[in-house]
């Protein structure tokens, strides 16, 4: 509820590679409300390609530079884990290395925030082997985040950038403000077709 993303500013495009994201980067700032914070997630669609890890890193760095040089704060998301059968082991190894690079880069560069949601959605026993998501974190296609992962993405995003936002001081509190980490739709009022609250979960991409 503290993070407001105008629909006009949603610039995520399904299927984009990092190279495609870089090519259309100027258009992402030509929006009605110029952003001061960019939620940047890219690389998932490069993993199954012949792109090397270094190519991915170089393109990601070019994206970060494009936004930071224009006064936009970058909140960098790592690539989400895929379930069994989606990636080969060499591709999984490339994904792990790419995510580790993003985390290390953010730790060494002020003003670039790492959105550390992986600790909530990845099986710790497989973190550096097969990198499997926890149960119910991906959809039936074993590929895309389910509501559970989307919740933790939003949770980690707010944790990363919360200090950049003005304080949230509601004038009143309703049942719609009650949240539970076990209720992945976000609002505890989501019990029927007429009792939805204004916010039903969170998450985001570039």
């Amino acid at each position: 509820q503290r993070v407001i993303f105008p629909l006009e500013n949603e610039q995520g495009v399904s299927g984009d590679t990092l190279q495609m994201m870089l090519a259309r980067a100027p258009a992402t700032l030509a929006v009605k409300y110029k952003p001061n914070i960019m939620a940047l997630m890219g690389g998932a669609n490069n993993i199954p390609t012949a792109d090397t890890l270094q190519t991915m890193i170089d393109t990601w760095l070019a994206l970060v530079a494009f936004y930071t040089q224009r006064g936009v704060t970058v909140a960098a998301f790592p690539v989400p884990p895929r379930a069994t059968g989606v990636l080969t082991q060499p591709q999984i190894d490339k994904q792990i290395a790419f995510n580790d690079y993003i985390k290390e880069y953010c730790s060494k560069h002020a003003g670039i925030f790492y959105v550390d949601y992986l600790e909530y959605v990845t099986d710790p026993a497989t973190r550096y082997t097969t990198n499997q998501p926890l149960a119910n974190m991906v959809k039936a296609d074993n590929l895309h985040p389910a509501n559970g992962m989307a919740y933790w993405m939003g949770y980690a995003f707010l944790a990363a950038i919360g200090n950049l936002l003005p304080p949230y001081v509601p004038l009143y509190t309703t049942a719609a403000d009650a949240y539970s980490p076990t209720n992945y739709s976000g609002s505890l009022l989501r019990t029927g077709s007429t009792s939805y609250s204004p916010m039903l979960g969170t998450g985001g991409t570039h």
Side-chain angles (χ1 to χ4, degrees):
Q1 290 173 323
R2 291 182 62 200
V3 182
I4 299 175
F5 282 126
L7 184 60
E8 296 89 342
N9 280 23
E10 173 51 63
Q11 298 294 308
V13 175
S14 178
D16 261 13
T17 62
L18 288 165
Q19 292 88 338
M20 293 173 183
M21 292 169 65
L22 182 60
R24 63 183 180 81
T28 65
L29 295 186
V31 291
K32 184 176 180 180
Y33 306 101
K34 185 181 183 301
N36 55 13
I37 299 175
M38 170 69 69
L40 180 66
M41 178 191 288
N45 295 308
N46 294 80
I47 298 297
T49 73
D51 285 351
T52 65
L53 174 62
Q54 192 59 53
T55 295
M56 292 179 61
I57 289 172
D58 290 344
T59 312
W60 183 84
L61 287 173
L63 271 166
V64 170
F66 177 87
Y67 291 116
T68 56
Q69 289 169 7
R70 288 158 178 79
V72 179
T73 297
V74 171
F77 286 71
V79 176
R82 310 308 198 191
T84 302
V86 175
L87 300 175
T88 65
Q89 190 58 48
Q91 291 168 349
I92 293 172
D93 294 340
K94 181 167 62 171
Q95 177 175 332
I96 292 171
F98 181 63
N99 284 344
D100 284 351
Y101 178 85
I102 293 174
K103 185 173 185 178
E104 182 177 1
Y105 184 89
C106 293
S107 72
K108 295 179 178 179
H109 293 80
I112 303 175
F113 297 85
Y114 181 69
V115 182
D116 194 6
Y117 69 93
L118 292 181
E119 64 174 304
Y120 303 109
V121 304
T122 308
D123 180 356
T126 67
R127 176 67 179 85
Y128 286 100
T129 53
T130 56
N131 196 38
Q132 293 295 294
L134 293 171
N136 302 316
M137 290 296 169
V138 295
K139 294 183 178 180
D141 60 7
N142 283 350
L143 183 66
H144 295 97
N147 287 346
M149 190 181 297
Y151 171 87
W152 288 115
M153 285 178 172
Y155 179 91
F157 179 57
L158 182 58
I161 68 164
N163 289 337
L164 303 179
L165 303 175
Y168 174 62
V169 183
L171 297 178
Y172 57 89
T173 300
T174 70
D177 293 306
Y179 288 84
S180 166
T182 61
N183 182 340
Y184 297 130
S185 64
S187 171
L188 297 182
L189 283 189
R190 196 176 193 279
T191 57
S193 61
T194 60
S195 60
Y196 291 179
S197 74
M199 181 177 177
L200 295 177
T202 183
T205 61
H206 171 269

